[in-house]
């Protein structure tokens, strides 16, 4: 075990994957010598050479297309999109190509092994072009796996699983936690399961669901509800947005009868909608109150009013209380 | 002073524009219309067997296209796209490759598939989306692909294969393979952002890819002069620092020669090459299109004279490699074979219902499995509404 | 009044808009002389000249970028994306630019007047690149308006409203109905309201919600339920996906206590999730059964198995019965 | 034979590549380092008032950059980007325009704003995202914009303004305006697909837009030679059939001259022009960047000698238009003004909570209004948690 922040855990995962398998490559804007604007690929070029870790020209659609071709050849490209806000020029390559590669060819070709890593989320005074949480756009796309880790341990294990997955993965990294989240991480290779949620705190009154950087926030809200009102929250980290672990959530809600979902992205069309729709259907007779969604407002991510915009612990706490008092 | 801007470092002191047409690129042509070579033109090295295989492939393409367009008109298949007028461009370039060079096509390159050995049955199974289709009946007709013959499955979104080809070729180089990737695309598709991204990345990262632009004058109804203002597509090569050649796409010897040279150069120095084929899309864009609304019969007739097959045929006859009568006989035999194969393929069952969910992921997810189960139960309840699959559900 | 099919109604709307206002322009791939691959812009170049109705080079990101710039200058560009499946190269221009133009500039600049028209949906043996229904991708994007008409009358009135809207609009046209849907359409200029759903059939037992080409299908299912089981469905055409008319749906569900939503796009992450999440929250105590979603499967749109894939009237009928018998 | 492929129609009979560097583009430079003109160079027409305004604007940019980078270091603003080394490129081009020509910038072009009359207060309000910011505090520092002075609000996603500029200019032409659009972007941004789309569309549709590429050697840490292989960005002009000029971006007279000519040409014949400015990004990419990790101090020092301001300053002094002492005095006064303005702006309140939802649409939707109401109620309940807005809710 070693103490690592999330960037170090990611860097460590990439390092292990590249050491283990020659076909793993890392590239993206400023990813090479510089190690990426957040330094997630630090020292990898030094260690594995310019052909396996390199800068690309400034073109996200090119990066994604290049990665698709490389993966189709059998390589395992780990492509970085500098900010999730800049993944949209690559949207066609990801949604029409990456996601459909295996299906459209009848399994003649596939791009398993391909991972897009990209920092997402707000809370860093980034305004609407350095703060977006676009996971829902990808979650509507069969063929992709979408993952969001919450801490260094999760980031390393899930990233290694992503690189080893036979299916392409979008790996969203909560940049607010890059340096802020520090924890014990095994130094050796390990994987955590894709498609499995994790119950991070058991509870009996209400299920509280989130992912990524919001896990901290819902934990804080749960603590507040516990201290102030004696409410016992069961907290679930969804971890995989696609495919998502319906069973774990259903099981919890069957027990608690209440569900509050929190995410950073705007409410309308966000992934909380999918979860709420599924859960109301599967747990209809067990729900004691409406499923609550605590999300970003339906506006582009603001700057000066960021604090007001965020789905913070107070808003979450209020939703918990509302749900309990329904 | 160093020059970090990565550009020419000469200075002038009076302001003048570089013309938008400062570079004028000639077209390589070896064969005259009468099947003889131009003065000074050198014949590419080509043995008889290869030359005849190239010829047969062009003829196969032509006859298949005729037959399948008719089948579409009869309502037997839903859609079709011909190669008419561009057979030499496709077959000539495919013939210049190694069998393990990857081909990434747009959609109009059936000649390359055939040259690689895609069987008549395989064509038919795809066109009829039956259960023997390698693509499991999931894509529209002409979206062929086969791993065995290194032919990437065609995808409709235009231009997407261009940066993919760069990535594929980069991977070939890293693996130490002596293979290139050949990437076909139309002059219309060359307007997509992916073209720019793909060529630039290949140049910067030294990927041995041959970018083969089929400039055939039209993108559906849009003529080339509403597609771009520059000198065709070839003049863009210099914008990426990529070696470039323009070639008469109706002259199979020229195409073969240019592609051979391009392949050698690409492998020798790990670099991409841009080739532009100048030919004419003689047929409609697709079976859904009628060109009479946007171009004249005179224009078409003019170009019909420029037939790539007859030009090559004359060369083969001149060489004494082709017998006129035997060839005619062989072609009519081929027509029959195609008809027979068509009749077989159209009777083959459609893919089973389980293929609704296979290949979305390497293994179906639990949700997909559940969706399939529900669907099966539903079909069993209403078998008449789903005749294709109802009888075959366990 | 005149009998028109949907294409004629759209063509007529464009014609009226161009005649009325010099700043309205139509362009896109093959849109000019040819009139578009579906002929929606037929004769407009002839009538209004090559500068106001023209072919563009084959680049959706270019079309969208060009349209953004034009609209920012004060023009009203009506840009056609040849198939909705090919809108993804323009995703960045639409999601990061069009949608945020007014907000990010503090209203210094805006792209109101901009309309993206694009044919969407399946049922035409088009496979996964000529059949997609991508409305949910855009519905998660504050700043856009997203509209789907169900017939010629609606198409004309909503398209005219879109062109006249101070906000940018994505206008999805159900291509399966282009020629199949025929109806009486007023020849004069008229607008239909954006953001308002329409109750197209009153009923008392269950609310049935859809949009676009699926309206036909849910009508058929409702007829079947009425005939076979005496079930009275209230049918709502959502018409605007963003902003969507929560009030009309809530009002209906408060009355019927049951809701079945149908859309063509895959289930997971589709817009039915948003609707179900909102309605379970607002109508919690009035719901007599779980909200049902009848949608496409979570796979790329298939070809040979299209019939099996579709959210057809039989699947919808089954959901109605399931909901009633819950 | 007609040529629908829209390209040169000459034929050759022997295969040869066009080199990827077939076109070599020189750089226009008029001013020597000592502020005198090169032999044969012609001075652009420039009156004293304009020349001094240009100079003042460069100095303003330089001093503002110094001061605000320091303010960022002190934690007073969150982010900043300097123009260091490229002041002549920006001011020289902006000065060559008409006041009503639209400017679409990338982010490093504060000189153009200033030249157009953006006030010190306006700069400060944006940098502090306060309630007087024209952008209502919604974007990060340096994302300026103002309708009044025809300066499109900056947007972070790179390259997106390029096809937008083409569309804007097309609209200008249709409206019969005698105005162009000037579009700035970096050599890094020129790798985006939007670059390709924007230039090609402008050429095809005859939009009077000046594409002004700032080739400053770096895109964050990525040097130009890992960005492209061709001869800079200028050589791409020929790929689109666009007239092109390359200019020394540290020579304000050359930039002014080139831009003036480009503007005239664009309006005279309704066509786009590509300009490439060769200069060096002397500072860090942004306040978040430290270039010492990717380039040497020697390289920087070498380029520091090539200072655009001092070159122009010497020319002005040679001309007798600038007084050394008065200028120094004026600059130190400017420093004080900036500091004063900064102190004012940082005390101005943030935008009110209602601006959370304004401008998403022309009118807030019912849903947004409801979200705002709930938010206000929430803030009232927890005023301590939202100090910026809590005290100001009705
Ligand atoms: C991204 C995208 N946009 C639009 C289309 C629709 N489309 C199919 S083929 C075609 C024209 C292509 O022309 P070109 O590239 O010149 O090839 P050609 O048909 O002439 O061989 C268009 C517009 C598409 N398939 N993909
Ligand atoms: C689409 C997109 N991708 C990535 C970024 C992140 N980014 C901001 S500036 C920059 C470098 C730009 O370099 P260049 O265009 O050369 O301009 P310069 O900074 O040198 O003026 C990058 C990669 C972005 N803003 N937008
Ligand atoms: Mg073409
Ligand atoms: Mg740069």
């Amino acid at each position: 075990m070693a103490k690592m922040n999330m960037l170090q855990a990611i860097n460590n995962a990439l390092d292990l994957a590249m050491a283990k398998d020659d076909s793993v490559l890392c590239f993206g804007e400023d990813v090479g010598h510089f190690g990426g604007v957040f330094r997630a690929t630090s020292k990898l070029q030094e260690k594995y050479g310019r052909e396996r870790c390199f800068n690309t020209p400034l073109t996200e659609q090119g990066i994604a297309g290049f990665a698709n071709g490389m993966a189709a050849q059998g390589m395992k490209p780990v492509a970085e999109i500098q900010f999730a806000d800049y993944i949209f020029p690559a949207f066609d390559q990801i949604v029409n190509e990456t996601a459909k590669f295996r299906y459209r060819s009848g399994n003649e070709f596939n791009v398993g092994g391909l991972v897009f890593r990209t920092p997402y989320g707000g809370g860093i005074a980034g305004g609407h072009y350095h703060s977006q949480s676009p996971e829902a756009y990808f979650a509507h796309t069969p063929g992709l796996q979408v993952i969001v880790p919450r801490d260094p341990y999760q980031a390393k294990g899930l990233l290694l699983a992503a690189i080893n997955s036979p299916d392409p993965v979008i790996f969203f990294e909560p940049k607010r936690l890059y340096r802020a989240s520090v924890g014990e991480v095994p130094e050796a290779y390990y994987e955590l399961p894709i498609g499995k949620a994790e119950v991070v705190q058991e509870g009996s009154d209400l299920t509280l669901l989130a992912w990524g950087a919001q896990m901290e926030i819902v934990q804080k809200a749960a603590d507040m509800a516990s201290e102030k009102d004696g409410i016992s929250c069961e907290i679930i980290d969804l971890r995989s947005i696609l495919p998502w672990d319906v069973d774990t959530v259903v099981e919890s809600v069957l027990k608690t009868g209440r569900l509050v979902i929190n995410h950073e992205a705007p409410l309308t069309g966000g992934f909380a909608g999918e979860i709420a729709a599924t859960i109301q259907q599967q747990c209809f007779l067990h729900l004691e109150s409406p499923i609550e969604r605590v999300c970003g407002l339906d506006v582009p991510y603001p700057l000066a009013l960021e604090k007001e915009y965020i789905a913070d612990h107070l808003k979450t706490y209020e939703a918990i209380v509302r749900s309990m008092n329904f | 002073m160093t020059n970090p801007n990565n550009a020419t470092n000469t200075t002038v002191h009076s302001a003048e524009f570089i013309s938008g047409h400062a570079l004028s690129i000639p077209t390589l042509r070896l064969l005259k219309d009468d099947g003889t070579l131009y003065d000074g033109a050198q014949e590419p090295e080509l043995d008889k067997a290869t030359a005849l295989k190239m010829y047969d492939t062009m003829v196969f393409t032509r006859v298949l296209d005729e037959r399948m367009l008719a089948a579409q008109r009869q309502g037997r298949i839903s859609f079709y796209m011909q190669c008419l007028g561009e057979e030499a461009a496709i077959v000539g370039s495919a013939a210049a490759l190694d069998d393990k060079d990857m081909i990434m096509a747009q959609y109009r390159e059936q000649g390359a598939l055939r040259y690689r050995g895609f069987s008549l049955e395989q064509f038919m199974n795809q066109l009829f989306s039956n259960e023997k289709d390698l693509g499991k009946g999931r894509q529209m007709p002409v979206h062929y692909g086969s791993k065995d013959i290194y032919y990437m499955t065609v995808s409709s979104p235009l231009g997407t294969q261009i940066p993919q080809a760069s990535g594929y070729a980069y991977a070939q180089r890293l693996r130490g393979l002596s293979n290139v990737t050949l990437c076909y695309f139309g002059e219309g598709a060359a307007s997509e952002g992916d073209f720019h991204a793909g060529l630039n990345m290949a140049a910067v990262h030294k990927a041995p890819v041959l970018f083969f632009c089929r400039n055939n004058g039209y993108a559906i109804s849009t003529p080339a002069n509403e597609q771009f203002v520059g000198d065709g597509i070839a003049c863009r090569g210099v914008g990426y620092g990529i070696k470039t050649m323009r070639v008469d796409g109706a002259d199979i010897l020229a195409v073969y020669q240019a592609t051979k040279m391009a392949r050698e150069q690409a492998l020798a120095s790990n670099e991409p090459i841009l080739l532009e084929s100048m030919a004419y899309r003689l047929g409609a864009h697709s079976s859904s299109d009628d060109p009479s609304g946007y171009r004249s019969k005179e224009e078409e007739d003019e170009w019909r004279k420029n037939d790539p097959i007859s030009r090559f045929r004359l060369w083969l006859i001149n060489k004494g490699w082709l017998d006129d009568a035997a060839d005619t006989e062989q072609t009519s035999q081929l027509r029959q074979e195609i008809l027979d194969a068509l009749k077989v393929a159209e009777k083959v069952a459609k893919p089973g219902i389980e293929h609704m969910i296979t290949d979305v992921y390497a293994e179906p997810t639990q949700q997909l499995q559940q969706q399939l189960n529900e669907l099966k139960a539903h079909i069993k309840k209403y078998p008449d509404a789903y005749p294709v699959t109802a009888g075959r559900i366990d």
Side-chain angles (χ1 to χ4, degrees), chain A, chain B:
Chain A
M1 286 284 189
K3 243 199 164 66
M4 295 186 196
N5 67 26
M6 192 181 284
L7 277 170
Q8 290 163 331
I10 288 165
N11 185 258
N12 179 236
L14 295 172
D15 192 355
L16 287 175
M18 291 179 87
K20 184 168 171 271
D21 183 348
D22 267 3
S23 62
V24 177
L25 289 91
C26 293
F27 53 90
E29 295 158 16
D30 304 294
V31 156
H33 172 65
F34 192 52
V37 292
F38 290 103
R39 324 313 301 272
T41 54
S42 212
K43 303 266 182 258
L44 298 178
Q45 184 175 84
E46 227 171 89
K47 238 170 141 169
Y48 301 101
R50 296 174 70 94
E51 310 224 291
R52 290 185 58 205
C53 176
F54 53 88
N55 290 340
T56 61
L58 211 168
T59 166
E60 292 76 14
Q61 67 191 110
I63 293 169
F66 203 76
N68 276 326
M70 219 179 235
Q73 203 280 338
M75 293 282 184
K76 297 185 170 185
V78 184
E80 177 176 304
I81 301 293
Q82 200 162 77
F83 286 86
D85 312 70
Y86 304 137
I87 203 167
F88 301 125
F91 205 70
D92 187 54
Q93 279 287 350
I94 297 175
V95 161
N96 264 343
E97 297 289 316
T98 306
K100 299 175 174 62
F101 223 94
R102 191 191 291 274
Y103 195 76
R104 73 180 180 205
S105 71
N107 205 26
E108 289 287 293
F109 299 94
N110 75 81
V111 293
L114 166 49
V115 178
F116 290 104
R117 293 178 41 247
T118 186
Y120 85 96
I124 58 146
H128 37 266
Y129 294 124
H130 295 84
S131 305
Q132 294 177 56
S133 298
E135 68 276 8
Y137 290 118
F138 297 95
H140 188 40
T141 312
L144 300 179
Q145 295 183 324
V146 180
I147 298 176
V148 194
R150 73 172 178 276
D151 66 21
Y153 173 77
Q154 295 286 325
K156 177 173 172 181
L158 287 168
L159 182 52
L160 286 169
I163 296 170
N164 201 28
S165 168
D167 298 305
V169 175
I170 320 274
F171 194 81
F172 287 106
E173 301 170 359
K175 67 170 112 56
R176 187 164 61 75
L177 302 187
Y178 265 164
R179 292 195 174 80
S181 176
V182 179
E184 290 294 327
V185 177
E187 275 149 311
Y189 184 100
Y190 64 95
E191 294 183 14
L192 293 173
I194 296 174
K196 287 265 161 281
E198 188 185 18
V199 177
V200 298
Q201 174 181 305
E202 303 216 356
S204 53
D205 294 332
L206 179 146
T207 303
L208 195 49
L209 177 70
W211 51 86
Q214 295 303 90
M215 289 307 296
E216 267 190 5
I217 284 174
V218 300
Q219 182 69 58
K220 206 162 156 192
D223 293 349
M224 190 169 161
S226 163
E227 281 157 33
K228 287 184 65 167
D229 312 276
I231 299 168
S232 161
C233 291
E234 176 140 311
I235 304 181
I236 299 179
D237 176 3
L238 196 62
R239 300 198 292 192
S240 288
I241 311 300
L242 191 71
W244 68 285
D245 184 353
V246 179
D247 290 353
T248 297
V249 183
V250 166
E251 195 186 320
S252 176
V253 176
L254 289 182
K255 179 174 78 177
T256 63
R258 292 182 163 88
L259 177 60
V260 173
I261 311 165
N262 173 305
H263 65 54
E264 287 194 60
L267 177 85
T268 298
F271 201 67
E274 177 60 37
I275 299 168
T278 302
I279 297 304
Q280 67 81 29
Q281 214 252 342
Q282 303 220 5
C283 305
F284 189 72
L285 295 175
H286 300 263
L287 279 174
E288 292 176 36
S289 66
I291 299 167
E292 290 269 350
R293 294 182 288 165
V294 185
C295 305
L297 276 77
D298 284 325
V299 308
Y301 203 105
L303 183 79
L305 301 176
E306 178 166 31
K307 216 174 170 40
E308 284 74 8
Y309 173 83
I310 284 176
D312 65 9
H313 70 286
L314 294 173
K315 295 180 189 171
T316 311
Y317 167 76
E318 285 291 313
I320 294 170
V321 171
R322 216 156 45 231
S323 181
M324 292 306 298
N325 295 344
F326 183 80
Chain B
M1 176 104 16
T2 56
N3 174 23
N5 315 74
N6 194 31
T8 303
N9 208 358
T10 57
T11 311
V12 288
H13 307 307
S14 108
E16 238 175 281
F17 291 115
I18 300 287
S19 155
H21 288 81
L23 200 66
S24 152
I25 299 181
T27 303
L28 176 69
R29 186 169 170 180
L30 302 177
L31 264 183
K32 291 196 235 171
D33 285 345
D34 65 4
T36 63
L37 289 175
Y38 281 97
D39 284 353
Q42 236 196 307
E43 207 168 278
E45 273 179 55
L46 204 55
D47 60 51
K48 181 177 171 187
T50 307
L52 287 178
K53 182 176 173 190
M54 287 162 73
Y55 176 74
D56 289 345
T57 305
M58 285 210 279
V59 172
F60 176 90
T61 305
R62 180 72 58 92
V63 177
L64 180 74
D65 282 0
E66 275 168 24
R67 194 52 236 137
M68 297 319 294
L69 193 63
Q72 194 280 334
R73 295 278 173 258
Q74 297 165 342
R76 292 162 96 166
I77 58 173
S78 60
F79 179 80
Y80 195 73
M81 296 182 100
Q82 297 180 286
C83 184
L84 203 65
E86 297 182 79
E87 293 92 343
I90 305 310
V91 176
S93 50
L97 300 181
D98 178 83
D99 274 354
K100 291 188 173 168
D101 290 341
M102 173 52 69
I103 295 179
M104 296 202 184
Q106 182 154 308
Y107 45 56
R108 209 183 285 289
E109 298 88 356
Q110 38 269 41
L113 271 156
R114 180 58 178 181
Y115 195 86
R116 281 279 171 91
F118 205 63
S119 73
L120 181 51
E121 290 64 39
Q122 287 178 315
F123 277 102
M124 289 300 161
N125 294 333
Q126 202 288 326
L127 293 170
F128 284 96
S129 2
N130 67 31
E131 68 178 2
K132 289 181 171 170
D133 168 27
L134 290 177
K136 297 184 185 147
R138 290 184 183 132
Q139 288 206 81
M140 285 175 69
V142 318
H143 290 63
Y144 312 106
S146 163
K147 192 186 167 95
D148 281 349
I149 60 169
Y150 292 82
Y151 195 99
M152 181 62 67
T153 302
V154 168
S155 142
S156 314
L158 289 167
T160 52
Q161 80 278 20
I162 305 175
Q164 289 172 13
S166 306
Y168 198 98
Y170 184 83
Q172 288 172 314
R173 172 160 81 75
L174 251 62
R175 296 232 187 255
L177 303 173
S178 290
N179 287 106
V180 303
T181 296
L182 178 80
C183 179
Y184 291 112
F185 52 90
E187 91 291 342
S191 293
E192 291 283 1
D194 274 1
F195 165 90
H196 182 61
L199 269 76
N200 191 40
M201 287 187 77
V204 169
H205 291 297
K206 302 186 136 294
V209 47
L210 315 187
F211 296 110
F212 193 100
C213 180
R214 296 186 290 94
N215 181 344
N216 62 8
Y218 288 89
I220 308 185
S221 79
T222 304
N225 66 2
E226 296 183 30
Q227 193 70 244
F228 52 79
V229 171
D231 181 24
I233 305 300
C235 67
R236 295 181 195 169
V238 78
Y240 305 106
I242 293 181
K243 288 196 180 62
T244 298
M245 210 184 302
R246 172 174 285 159
V247 59
D248 180 343
D251 178 348
I252 195 165
L253 293 187
V255 174
Y256 180 82
Q257 169 75 3
T259 312
K260 261 246 148 24
M261 267 179 71
R263 183 175 189 279
E264 274 158 30
Q265 181 68 45
L267 283 178
S269 53
N270 288 321
E271 61 178 320
I273 308 286
L274 174 60
L275 299 169
E276 182 181 22
S277 145
M278 312 300 267
Y280 186 82
R281 195 200 74 207
L282 250 183
H285 169 69
S286 74
S287 57
S288 317
D289 178 43
D290 171 12
S292 70
Y294 55 84
R295 66 189 193 188
S296 68
K297 231 186 122 327
E298 291 71 52
E299 180 183 304
E300 291 183 7
D301 287 343
E302 190 60 26
W303 278 90
R304 216 179 305 279
K305 296 180 199 153
N306 197 29
D307 181 24
I309 297 188
S310 66
R311 215 194 285 180
F312 190 42
R313 193 166 191 277
L314 290 171
W315 183 76
L316 288 169
I317 289 173
N318 288 344
K319 271 222 165 310
W321 287 356
L322 192 74
D323 176 87
D324 202 349
D327 179 46
T328 309
E329 163 63 22
Q330 200 183 317
T331 303
S332 80
Q333 208 176 308
L334 175 62
R335 257 187 208 101
Q336 190 55 48
E337 276 168 36
I338 289 176
L339 199 56
D340 294 345
L342 186 158
K343 284 183 186 157
V344 172
E346 71 184 345
K347 290 198 197 79
V348 176
K350 296 291 174 213
I353 191 70
E354 67 280 9
H355 289 306
M356 178 75 87
I357 68 158
T358 56
D359 307 333
V360 181
Y361 296 95
E363 294 297 327
T365 62
Q366 192 186 323
Q367 275 109 321
L368 278 174
Q369 197 53 59
Q370 193 182 320
Q371 291 183 3
L372 179 64
N373 294 343
E374 287 166 13
L375 178 58
K376 281 183 180 172
H378 179 77
I379 294 173
K380 278 191 188 163
K381 194 158 178 186
Y382 296 98
D384 295 350
Y386 309 94
V388 166
T389 44
R392 299 191 289 149
I393 292 176
D394 42 58

